[in-house]
């Protein structure tokens, strides 16, 4: 929790250490579910996680990707409402959590901590606004290209500096890009034919990042 750490007093740090719990999650294990009451501030320490919402006809929409070290699960508590989405691990992951009641007490006595959460919420809101425009106005090529760039931004490359450090099922790629699985498969094949990417099972290697970014921006 290094970015929060710098704004805390020694006593506040001690209280966090005393109340911080670390848990292991398996691939696809639910961290918290839609409509549950929020109780904890979550931090992804290692691994990968996603926030998603079940839609019409069994469709799923991935709302946001979580990367180490990011905080999540607190917006609903501040809004005094149940969770409106579900969080799940995308691979075996390590997470830590603090009771939100403790976080609230700390915020009441630490204006810098309050500003930290205001800034985090503001960044997330701005990202959500941009994502809504992308998912509703871009063609499927642009949406999928943007999803691949987002995966690169969140999780980076393997040692070859080209292969995405995340191996997603086609269904998850489709859910991230707001399209059907069949459309995601066809669009990926199109990118392969254009020599933008190389696909090997769930491994995706980006070989023309500049062109992919152009499609993501103007597609």
């Amino acid at each position: 929790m290094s970015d929060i750490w710098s704004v805390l007093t020694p006593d506040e740090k001690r209280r966090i250490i005393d109340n911080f719990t670390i848990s292991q999650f398996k691939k696809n294990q639910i961290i918290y579910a839609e409509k549950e009451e929020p109780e904890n501030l979550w931090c992804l320490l290692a691994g990968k996680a996603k926030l998603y919402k079940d839609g019409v006809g069994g469709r799923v929409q991935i709302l946001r990707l979580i990367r180490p070290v990011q905080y999540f699960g607190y917006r609903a508590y501040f809004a005094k409402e149940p969770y409106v989405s579900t969080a799940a691990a995308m691979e075996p992951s390590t997470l830590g959590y603090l009771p939100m009641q403790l976080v609230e007490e700390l915020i009441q006595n630490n204006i810098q901590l309050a500003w930290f959460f205001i800034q985090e919420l503001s960044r997330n809101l701005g990202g959500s606004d941009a994502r809504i425009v992308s998912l509703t106005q871009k063609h499927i090529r642009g949406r999928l290209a943007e999803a691949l760039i987002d995966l690169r931004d969140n999780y980076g490359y393997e040692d070859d500096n080209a292969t995405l450090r995340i191996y997603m099922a086609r269904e998850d790629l489709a859910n991230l890009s707001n399209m059907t699985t069949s459309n995601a498969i066809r669009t990926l094949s199109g990118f392969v034919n254009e020599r933008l990417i190389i696909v090997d099972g769930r491994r995706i290697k980006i070989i023309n990042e500049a062109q992919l970014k152009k499609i993501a921006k103007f597609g």
Side-chain angles (χ1 to χ4, degrees), residues 72-166:
F72 61 100
Y74 56 87
R75 187 211 62 81
Y77 182 90
F78 290 149
K80 299 190 182 303
E81 64 183 23
Y83 285 120
V84 297
S85 61
T86 298
M90 299 176 69
E91 65 181 33
S93 300
T94 304
L95 291 99
Y97 62 90
L98 281 173
M100 277 302 302
Q101 189 170 5
L102 171 61
V103 175
E104 183 176 3
E105 291 174 13
L106 295 175
I107 286 174
Q108 289 173 346
N109 295 294
N110 187 329
I111 189 65
Q112 287 183 292
L113 185 60
W115 272 110
F116 169 85
F117 283 105
I118 289 171
Q119 290 169 345
E120 283 286 295
L121 286 167
S122 299
R123 279 193 289 266
N124 290 338
L125 180 60
S128 295
D129 288 348
R131 184 158 168 73
I132 288 170
V133 173
S134 172
L135 293 178
T136 56
Q137 296 188 6
K138 288 185 179 180
H139 295 297
I140 58 175
R141 281 170 53 83
R143 297 203 300 269
L144 189 59
E146 185 172 287
L148 295 175
I149 296 300
D150 283 348
L151 292 173
R152 190 286 312 270
D153 291 343
N154 276 281
Y155 302 121
Y157 288 131
E158 299 286 6
D159 292 340
D160 63 1
N161 205 35
T163 302
L164 293 174
R165 193 180 286 128
I166 180 171

Side-chain angles (χ1 to χ4, degrees), residues 3 6 24 42 44 56-57 74 82 92 114 120 141 143 147-148 157 159 165 171 177-178 182 203 205 209 218:
D3 44 0
S6 62
Q24 304 295 326
W42 289 92
L44 179 65
V56 178
Y74 56 87
E120 283 286 295
R141 281 170 53 83
R143 297 203 300 269
L148 295 175
Y157 288 131
D159 292 340
R165 193 180 286 128
E171 183 179 5
S177 310
N178 190 30
S182 58
R203 296 169 63 89
K205 179 183 291 188
E209 185 178 305
F218 299 108

